[in-house]
């Protein structure tokens, strides 16, 4: 294998692994936000609104991070504090925010149930 082929292979591996890198980092950050007895991190979903034109100023691509709270019906204050906690954990990780932005995400939302999403950024 020549040096050029080795460099090409390494570059291809980096390009292919880049989306996984921010996904792994996101999973690590989000799984550490709450103690297990308060909330469980379920995962994330990438949403792309194809009905919005690419040239529009409206957010087209966003990420939803999904949690389930231990309490079935949390008080509004507790829910607001939980959203704030998730958003601040995300915002503090500048590398993750940069990676998400570089991947084209315009917004991150938090969900604690199947009915509601709360925007972080």
């Amino acid at each position: 294998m020549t040096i050029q082929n080795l460099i090409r292979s390494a570059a291809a591996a980096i390009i292919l692994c880049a989306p996984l890198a921010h996904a792994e980092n996101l999973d690590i950050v989000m799984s550490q936000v709450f103690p297990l007895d308060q909330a469980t991190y379920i995962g994330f979903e990438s949403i792309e609104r194809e009905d919005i034109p690419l040239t529009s100023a409206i957010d087209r691509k966003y990420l939803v991070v999904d949690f389930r709270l231990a309490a079935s019906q949390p008080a509004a204050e507790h829910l607001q504090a939980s959203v704030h906690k998730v958003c601040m954990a995300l915002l503090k990780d500048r590398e993750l925010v940069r990676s998400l932005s570089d991947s084209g995400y315009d917004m991150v939302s938090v969900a604690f149930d199947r009915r509601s999403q709360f925007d972080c950024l």
Side-chain angles (χ1 to χ4, degrees), residues 48-111:
E48 185 161 359
R49 302 263 323 261
E50 294 182 8
D51 60 319
I52 298 174
L54 290 171
T55 57
S56 175
I58 298 172
D59 295 336
R60 181 176 160 85
K61 183 176 177 184
Y62 66 99
L63 197 69
V64 178
V65 291
D66 196 17
F67 291 86
R68 290 298 175 267
L69 293 171
S72 59
Q73 292 287 332
E77 301 83 30
H78 181 7
L79 184 59
Q80 184 177 4
S82 297
V83 170
H84 179 74
K85 191 170 185 175
V86 172
C87 294
M88 291 309 296
L90 182 67
L91 288 171
K92 287 179 183 177
D93 192 327
R94 290 180 185 215
E95 181 181 323
L96 177 57
V97 171
R98 186 176 300 115
S99 175
L100 291 170
S101 179
D102 290 347
S103 296
Y105 290 100
D106 296 316
M107 183 176 64
V108 176
S109 295
V110 181

